[in-house]
Amino acid sequence: MAKHPPGNALHANFDVDYVISYRFTDAGKAQAQADFEKLARALAQVGLATEVRNGDNQSLLVFVKVASDKHLNNAVYRSRYANIAPTGLLRFLLSSVTGWKTTTNADSRVKDWLYGVRAAQPDKETQTSLTSQPLTQAERFRIVHHMITSPREEGGAGLTPKQGEWKNVESIFPLHDRAFNKEWMRKWASSTFITAEDLDELRDRLGEKIAFYFAFTQSYFAFLIFPAAFGFASWVLLSSFSPIYAIANSLWCLTFLEYWRRQELDLGVRWGVKGVSAIQEKRREYQHEKEVKDPITGETVQIFPATKRLSRQLLQLPFALLASLALGTLIATCFGIEIFLSEVYNGPLKSVLVFLPTGILTTMVPTLTTLLTGVATRLNDYENWDTTESYQASMTQKIFILNFITSYLPIFLTAFVYVPFGSLIVPYLDIFSLTARPFAESEKQLTAPKAGFEINPARLRKQVIYFTVTAQIINFAVEAILPVIKAKGFHKYQEIKAEQAAKKGGAAPGASVNDLAEESEFLARVRSEAGLGTYDVTVDLREMVVQYGYLVLFSVVWPLTSVSFLINNWIELRSDAAKICMQMQRPTPFRADSIGPWLDSLGFLTWLGSISSAALVYLFSNDGLGPDGTPATIKGWALLLTIFFSEHIYLVVRLAIRFAISKIDSPGRQKERAERFMVRKRFLQESLGEQALEMPPSSADEEITRATLEEEARQGSLKTSTPAEHFWSRQRNWEETAKVGAGLIERMAPNEGKKQQ
């Protein structure tokens, strides 16, 4: 990807760092003016310059940039090497280091070094540090965002959009770099693979958190080439539910998972963020119960008892049970209705009624999921996490439970309920006859056969195809195409509404009526970006994890699953890039050193996949026909033994793969070793001098004369020497030691002739 100097985007955007959308629709004029004055003052007090212009629909656009290079340089140095908050332990440490020439505010490149994120000690001069490590656009935006949003006691303006005293602040966002976005989409659209340099450029623009998502998806896409090729060969050459394919797929999933663990570490070192998760940001909503003094550092620490939080976390168990019952009952009910309508009912409008369960699920599942997500959020708030990272990790676990149920439960019901027990269950599905009774011509059309019912053996395969192909296409349309249509429709609606108001003579003056000519195009673009949504990378990460689950859990049913995902993910990478560039506000570039708790979700799915694949291979070992709806052919001991051995083999193979990958060197590990070596070398040189690592001088550098020997003897006679001193005075240096040792060897070693005899 072509390089764009960081300054280009700023100049194209009138050197604006951030835009604050301030909406005063619900506030009185006097109150709105007072709140806006407070906003401008708060920004100025932290070294930010501001300009204000008119926005759409009773809003103002506040343009923000760092007031001077001095403010920026100090903020950058603090961002790289010191603590954001000038309190506690790090304040004490920084105040003790009197040689550092920096301001009294805290600083994040020193903080990174103190927490081990940066191995190299920072230079004591601010300008030298900045020259050796140039500022990226992502780092600049992250620093300015911190100046805007961090609490006042930590040196920031303390803005909290839509909350508390800043409820009129609707959003805070940087502006898109149109030139970079255009080049980004052009390059990726014409490339099969995304290179490491492309990811580096993306990280420099959008930050590590988003770069990690694209790095993961690219690695996943590249790894899919093998299972896609092997899956296609299995589909052509092997029988259904092939144990060979199941073993190969499980091995691939394990290898990919362990490879990505290593890749995360390498990228963390490459991007200078390894261990950055240790620098955790305090949540403003955190409520401590007491304050204690740390016995080691002496700083005051806010404490919330771990036992109390654990007792609150235990509420996750009833939440998981509630979610399972609510979503499980809905999905199981629709599952029963669908079986009744498709395999029992034989009356009019059957081809139409079979879509009734789909309609119910499409309507009810999102609604119920939204309600349960609200419950999960309130439960997460009740747990009172002290840091943003721990709060998000806990929330991810709860969301994963909901996604697991809604995504995989229908297939689990088909594979492990309908296929083994269908003939026993179907006769009792008459309770769902109400769904078709108004259309039936006779009672016989609604009655399930008491005997002789045969299940549909192709049902499971069709269901897997739906979730891995059809659902992926629908999701792409909803995510990438529908928002464009909605945006154009809304824009057209706004134009029609404005025209009608103008005809009636009641149209309010447009937001651009007072724009200067040289600013009009720029302000129109800013107003457009202010109306866009906020990009949440966790949504896209969740999609990838759910997709991976289909591959590891159920691809043994239909080996072409990986082929579908390979094609989908090539498109997904490009569509996500386009979504960020055109449909969303530019994301704030937050830092990260991994994909977060989603890695644990991948590990859980891989483990569960080793069990489900083995169980499916056993159940369908009779040429893929399965138990035929009766459990008589299923031997419980054999099924349990299959699961037991598959799980334990999985654990052993995982250890072997992890050990093998740990022995493979990588650029990231080499860079980390080099940095640690330089730290040790610098320490020794600063502590012991430049000659600390040199060999001691040889005797050739010392002039030994009769006078020096007599002087040594005279000095020795003036003091009483101990036996130890006499012992260590026999040989003057290492060369004399070597000479004496050679003479001893000469005298004691046998002659060559005697040795041969």
Side-chain angles (χ1 to χ4, degrees):
M1 190 181 298
K3 294 286 184 179
H4 297 273
N8 285 1
L10 293 175
H11 293 316
N13 291 327
F14 286 22
D15 294 345
V16 171
D17 288 319
Y18 272 86
V19 178
I20 300 175
S21 178
Y22 179 85
R23 191 172 301 278
F24 51 90
T25 307
D26 300 328
K29 182 181 293 186
Q31 184 63 42
Q33 291 173 339
D35 290 345
F36 184 77
E37 180 181 345
K38 182 170 60 176
L39 170 64
R41 185 188 305 112
L43 295 172
Q45 287 174 344
V46 295
L48 296 172
T50 55
E51 285 282 338
V52 62
R53 298 293 186 273
N54 195 22
D56 290 325
N57 301 323
Q58 289 187 299
S59 69
L60 299 178
L61 299 175
V62 184
F63 297 91
V64 178
K65 76 167 187 175
V66 181
S68 66
D69 290 341
K70 181 180 179 181
H71 283 93
L72 179 62
N73 290 342
N74 286 334
V76 171
Y77 188 80
R78 291 193 300 271
S79 164
R80 291 175 177 176
Y81 300 115
N83 186 7
I84 299 293
T87 58
L89 171 63
L90 294 182
R91 169 193 267 183
F92 169 76
L93 292 175
L94 291 176
S95 63
S96 302
V97 186
T98 57
W100 283 1
K101 299 178 181 179
T102 183
T103 63
T104 56
N105 290 333
D107 192 58
S108 165
R109 280 180 192 185
V110 179
K111 182 180 182 182
D112 287 355
W113 174 65
L114 291 173
Y115 276 91
V117 178
R118 294 176 182 265
Q121 179 179 336
D123 292 311
K124 297 178 182 179
E125 294 288 348
T126 303
Q127 192 58 45
T128 304
S129 171
L130 297 177
T131 304
S132 63
Q133 297 178 331
L135 181 68
T136 66
Q137 197 176 104
E139 187 176 13
R140 177 190 178 103
F141 286 154
R142 178 173 58 82
I143 292 166
V144 177
H145 184 268
H146 188 272
M147 295 172 69
I148 296 172
T149 60
S150 61
R152 294 184 181 92
E153 58 270 18
E154 296 182 6
L159 268 64
T160 53
K162 300 180 180 179
Q163 294 181 7
E165 61 180 327
W166 306 113
K167 61 182 179 181
N168 291 336
V169 175
E170 190 171 58
S171 60
I172 304 172
F173 61 95
L175 295 175
H176 279 292
D177 180 352
R178 294 299 177 94
F180 169 76
N181 288 353
K182 184 177 180 180
E183 176 65 16
W184 179 16
M185 290 190 291
R186 184 202 64 78
K187 174 71 183 300
W188 284 24
S190 59
S191 304
T192 303
F193 296 99
I194 298 169
T195 64
E197 289 72 21
D198 293 335
L199 293 173
D200 289 343
E201 178 75 358
L202 194 63
R203 171 254 179 181
D204 291 343
R205 299 285 175 160
L206 301 180
E208 291 82 8
K209 192 168 187 177
I210 291 177
F212 262 109
Y213 161 70
F214 281 101
F216 169 76
T217 307
Q218 168 60 28
S219 298
Y220 178 37
F221 166 76
F223 259 75
L224 278 172
I225 295 175
F226 169 75
F230 190 81
F232 181 79
S234 299
W235 181 68
V236 174
L237 302 175
L238 302 178
S239 61
S240 302
F241 299 91
S242 167
I244 297 176
Y245 174 82
I247 293 172
N249 187 64
S250 295
L251 285 174
W252 171 87
C253 291
L254 260 175
T255 304
F256 167 69
L257 180 63
E258 297 305 321
Y259 164 81
W260 175 249
R261 290 184 193 275
R262 163 59 65 82
Q263 187 71 359
E264 278 190 342
L265 296 176
D266 285 350
L267 289 174
V269 174
R270 180 186 181 98
W271 293 338
V273 291
K274 182 185 176 184
V276 76
S277 57
I279 307 175
Q280 298 189 348
E281 180 183 351
K282 285 283 186 181
R283 292 179 64 238
R284 299 189 183 188
E285 297 83 0
Y286 172 65
Q287 298 178 351
H288 63 280
E289 286 197 354
K290 58 182 178 179
E291 293 183 347
V292 298
K293 180 173 287 188
D294 191 301
I296 305 300
T297 66
E299 63 176 331
T300 301
V301 182
Q302 297 177 342
I303 297 296
F304 182 79
T307 53
K308 180 174 279 191
R309 179 176 291 118
L310 178 61
S311 65
R312 296 183 178 187
Q313 284 182 270
L314 291 177
L315 293 176
Q316 292 185 37
L317 298 177
F319 168 75
L321 181 61
L322 172 65
S324 300
L325 287 175
L327 289 171
T329 301
L330 175 62
I331 292 172
T333 300
C334 291
F335 180 76
I337 294 174
E338 198 273 332
I339 292 177
F340 175 82
L341 293 175
S342 61
E343 301 186 26
V344 175
Y345 178 66
N346 193 25
L349 300 177
K350 177 178 179 177
S351 59
V352 177
L353 291 175
V354 291
F355 292 103
L356 177 62
T358 303
I360 297 174
L361 287 175
T362 304
T363 305
M364 295 300 298
V365 168
T367 303
L368 191 55
T369 301
T370 301
L371 292 174
L372 290 172
T373 301
V375 174
T377 303
R378 298 191 66 174
L379 178 59
N380 217 46
D381 294 338
Y382 181 64
E383 291 170 1
N384 194 30
W385 295 100
D386 56 341
T387 64
T388 303
E389 289 76 10
S390 56
Y391 178 87
Q392 292 175 349
S394 180
M395 191 65 193
T396 297
Q397 294 173 352
K398 298 176 179 64
I399 295 299
F400 177 71
I401 293 173
L402 301 179
N403 290 144
F404 185 91
I405 297 170
T406 57
S407 301
Y408 308 132
L409 184 58
I411 303 180
F412 274 118
L413 287 174
T414 300
F416 299 107
V417 177
Y418 171 77
V419 171
F421 306 104
S423 296
L424 302 179
I425 295 174
V426 168
Y428 298 96
L429 294 182
D430 291 348
I431 56 175
F432 299 120
S433 61
L434 292 175
T435 57
R437 187 173 297 278
F439 311 100
E441 297 174 343
S442 64
E443 192 66 24
K444 185 178 180 180
Q445 295 175 342
L446 300 171
T447 305
K450 299 300 180 183
F453 174 80
E454 295 183 359
I455 66 169
N456 180 7
R459 180 183 184 85
L460 179 60
R461 180 174 57 84
K462 291 179 179 179
Q463 200 169 15
V464 171
I465 292 174
Y466 168 78
F467 280 103
T468 57
V469 179
T470 309
Q472 299 291 318
I473 295 173
I474 294 173
N475 181 67
F476 170 77
V478 171
E479 183 179 321
I481 300 176
L482 185 60
V484 176
I485 297 175
K486 288 172 62 178
K488 290 184 176 180
F490 180 75
H491 181 69
K492 188 65 176 178
Y493 167 76
Q494 291 290 92
E495 289 182 350
I496 295 174
K497 187 178 178 180
E499 290 176 0
Q500 290 177 347
K503 290 178 181 179
K504 296 179 180 180
S512 60
V513 66
N514 294 321
D515 291 350
L516 298 176
E518 63 269 21
E519 298 178 357
S520 59
E521 182 179 349
F522 168 71
L523 292 177
R525 178 161 61 85
V526 175
R527 292 183 185 110
S528 175
E529 291 186 23
L532 299 177
T534 303
Y535 178 69
D536 184 2
V537 70
T538 58
V539 174
D540 288 334
L541 266 173
R542 184 179 66 209
E543 290 179 5
M544 286 294 104
V545 171
V546 169
Q547 184 197 96
Y548 175 85
Y550 287 122
L551 180 64
V552 69
L553 293 172
F554 307 116
S555 64
V556 69
V557 178
W558 190 56
L560 293 181
T561 296
S562 50
V563 177
S564 170
F565 289 166
L566 181 68
I567 298 171
N568 176 85
N569 289 354
W570 188 92
I571 299 172
E572 183 76 18
L573 281 165
R574 280 80 190 164
S575 66
D576 285 344
K579 177 173 64 177
I580 292 174
C581 293
M582 298 187 297
Q583 299 176 16
M584 299 290 177
Q585 293 175 350
R586 179 172 180 167
T588 299
F590 294 113
R591 294 196 299 179
D593 57 4
S594 68
I595 60 173
W598 293 111
L599 184 60
D600 297 329
S601 301
L602 291 173
F604 170 76
L605 290 172
T606 305
W607 166 79
L608 187 61
S610 68
I611 297 175
S612 67
S613 296
L616 287 170
V617 168
Y618 171 78
L619 290 175
F620 291 85
S621 57
N622 56 342
D623 296 327
L625 297 178
D628 198 24
T630 57
T633 58
I634 302 175
K635 297 179 180 179
W637 65 268
L639 178 60
L640 293 176
L641 198 62
T642 300
I643 293 174
F644 176 82
F645 277 114
S646 65
E647 181 190 17
H648 284 72
I649 292 172
Y650 161 84
L651 296 175
V652 172
V653 173
R654 184 184 66 178
L655 288 176
I657 293 176
R658 185 173 295 180
F659 176 79
I661 291 179
S662 69
K663 297 302 180 182
I664 301 175
D665 206 0
S666 64
R669 297 184 70 182
Q670 293 173 0
K671 180 181 178 182
E672 189 175 25
R673 289 200 303 271
E675 290 178 345
R676 289 178 177 174
F677 170 75
M678 293 306 298
V679 169
R680 294 193 294 269
K681 181 179 179 181
R682 181 174 178 176
F683 171 78
L684 290 174
Q685 289 176 341
E686 291 181 352
S687 302
L688 305 178
E690 292 294 331
Q691 287 77 33
L693 303 180
E694 296 180 1
M695 287 288 292
S698 64
S699 61
D701 300 329
E702 301 178 7
E703 185 179 357
I704 302 177
T705 63
R706 181 175 181 178
T708 59
L709 294 175
E710 290 178 350
E711 178 63 21
E712 286 184 5
R714 189 180 69 83
Q715 293 292 336
S717 65
L718 295 178
K719 61 180 182 178
T720 304
S721 299
T722 64
E725 291 175 337
H726 283 296
F727 177 82
W728 287 104
S729 65
R730 300 286 191 270
Q731 298 154 18
R732 295 167 55 86
N733 51 47
W734 68 271
E735 290 178 334
E736 288 190 11
T737 300
K739 185 176 180 180
V740 172
L744 293 175
I745 293 172
E746 177 69 25
R747 291 197 298 269
M748 291 187 294
N751 295 330
E752 292 295 330
K754 294 181 179 180
K755 190 174 182 180
Q756 291 177 359
Q757 292 177 0

